[in-house]
Amino acid sequence: MSRKNYSDEFRRQAVDLYESTPGATVRGIAADLGVERGTLRLWLERLGTGRKTAADGAAARSPLRARAAALTVADEDRDETLEQRVVRLETENRALRAEQVKLTTERQILRQAAKYFAGGDELVNRFQFVEDLSTTYPVKRLCELVEITRSSFYAWRAGAPARRARAVEDAALASRIRVVHEADNTMGAPRITAELNDAPNVTRVNRKRVARVMRENQIRGYQKRRRVRTTVPEPADQKVPDLLRRDFTAPAPNQRYVGDITYLPLAEGTNLYLATVIDCCSRRLTGWAIADHMRTELVEDALRAARLTRGSLAGSVFHSDHGSVYTSKAYAKLCARLGVTQSMGAVGTSADNALAEAFNATLKREVLQDRAVFTDEAACRREVFRWLVRYNSTRRHSYLGYTTPITFEADLTAATLPKAA
């Protein structure tokens, strides 16, 4: 389910991301943001500066503007006869028709590719897609469309028998692991490996392989979460009950949401702050806002963004901690106006808002990685914006069966549609 309404801020940030990313292409940025290439090109024409960052980091002219300027100059300088003009236009027309046929074929192929990229290992799915369609279309064209090399595809095809044999062995190993895990669910991969290898008359297994099979079969050792106080409560005029009670699930989208504020540290010693609104059903980030303050306007902007994404939030529940911005009268009035029921966990208990806390931890881990801070405010806004958009459209979630939130919602919607008689 692609996003239909784009705010002016989203358009400007998308243009800035293209112009500031070294070696960026329209195709790559459009894929990252989940928008059509033509849409991004239109934004670049309307809002772009005509400059971009080359692969080596140097400033350069935008190829889109350069190409348009070159065509204009060529048209002005061309001095041709009527016959020459007719020949040129016929040649261009043939080229356009050939391009149209090519694009139509690509569209037909890619329509069939959707089911292959709904879950699992994306690279393996690309190989399988080429394999299944190789009797209908040329392998070279298929590989180009899904951006893999033919040598890699043929190597993958040659390894099919070995993969099938390994899959059978992994299934047998998973059964043995479950027997050990059911006897003691606190055991992780190292202890289970030792238990398996101590059994008589069995082939020894490697701990990394056991960890992989456990991960693939969602077998985990029990780990108790530590409780950390992260929120300083603010006295409120009204008591808000906990309507979720740590049940961060929902039968359908747009019913239950969680949200929180996290800081984004900058190298200069200051912070930006990110407020989020996350759907409990699909884990989709429906709304967010970034600012250099923690005033009530920050969480209000995030909730309004979620309303813009969904169209309406009437009848939904929004769960948060007892931060002063969430307990403010202004935020309560906005929730009432949008038809949103507030919910809050216990004071100082991060587990009562674990879904939002986990989201914040994942964002910082995957965006900052080995860094402690963002270099500056502009880089922080740009990197976080890109990750937030990819979180919905590209990043696969184990909770959703390794699909993306947008794909999960689309599949869920399709599954609930009445079937034709």
Side-chain angles (χ1 to χ4, degrees), residues 122-395:
E122 182 179 348
L123 181 60
V124 171
N125 289 341
R126 294 184 187 190
F127 290 143
Q128 190 63 55
F129 168 72
V130 175
E131 174 69 17
D132 292 347
L133 272 70
S134 59
T135 58
T136 307
Y137 302 100
V139 169
K140 178 181 178 181
R141 189 75 192 112
L142 293 170
C143 290
E144 290 174 349
L145 281 176
V146 296
E147 299 179 341
I148 59 175
T149 61
R150 278 183 291 169
S151 59
S152 297
F153 165 70
Y154 287 123
W156 175 86
R157 174 188 275 179
R163 286 195 302 275
R164 286 193 293 268
R166 188 165 57 250
V168 173
E169 294 173 356
D170 285 349
L173 178 59
S175 298
R176 294 171 56 199
I177 291 173
R178 286 193 180 94
V179 172
V180 177
H181 186 261
E182 288 172 0
D184 182 358
N185 69 347
T186 65
M187 298 178 67
R191 293 173 60 195
I192 288 181
T193 304
E195 191 76 16
L196 293 173
N197 288 334
D198 280 346
N201 302 321
V202 296
T203 303
R204 294 183 61 84
V205 291
N206 181 276
R207 181 182 63 83
K208 291 184 178 180
R209 183 184 177 193
V210 172
R212 174 179 60 79
V213 173
M214 289 180 64
R215 184 169 58 251
E216 292 172 351
N217 289 271
Q218 298 184 352
I219 304 172
R220 301 180 183 87
Y222 174 78
Q223 290 181 329
K224 185 175 182 179
R225 294 180 179 271
R226 292 186 302 167
R227 295 186 175 185
V228 181
R229 292 179 60 88
T230 58
T231 302
V232 178
E234 179 77 10
D237 293 336
Q238 59 176 347
K239 297 294 183 181
V240 178
D242 184 353
L243 302 179
L244 268 60
R245 297 190 178 278
R246 302 188 184 181
D247 179 12
F248 303 108
T249 63
N254 202 24
Q255 293 186 2
R256 285 181 166 188
Y257 294 94
V258 298
D260 195 12
I261 297 176
T262 189
Y263 72 95
L264 306 171
L266 305 179
E268 61 190 23
T270 59
N271 299 315
L272 292 180
Y273 299 92
L274 168 69
T276 55
V277 180
I278 305 167
D279 194 304
C280 289
C281 174
S282 64
R283 300 303 197 254
R284 181 175 181 178
L285 180 64
T286 55
W288 77 82
I290 300 177
D292 59 357
H293 61 79
M294 286 183 60
R295 296 191 295 272
T296 306
E297 295 96 311
L298 176 64
V299 293
E300 289 178 331
D301 289 343
L303 193 62
R304 291 192 184 98
R307 193 270 306 270
L308 177 64
T309 298
R310 292 303 193 194
S312 172
L313 298 176
S316 62
V317 173
F318 177 77
H319 182 84
S320 67
D321 57 29
H322 278 265
S324 59
V325 291
Y326 291 116
T327 58
S328 66
K329 292 182 179 179
Y331 193 72
K333 288 181 180 179
L334 175 62
C335 289
R337 187 164 64 251
L338 298 180
V340 175
T341 302
Q342 283 188 273
S343 169
M344 293 184 185
V347 175
T349 304
S350 61
D352 283 356
N353 201 20
L355 176 55
E357 297 277 358
F359 174 90
N360 293 338
T362 300
L363 182 151
K364 290 182 180 178
R365 183 178 66 252
E366 295 188 1
V367 177
L368 283 174
Q369 297 187 5
D370 293 333
R371 296 175 295 165
V373 295
F374 294 93
T375 54
D376 54 46
E377 179 177 338
C380 175
R381 289 180 178 274
R382 188 177 300 128
E383 292 178 43
V384 172
F385 168 73
R386 182 169 188 168
W387 188 91
L388 293 177
V389 176
R390 288 175 58 86
Y391 174 88
N392 282 332
S393 60
T394 305
R395 188 180 184 278

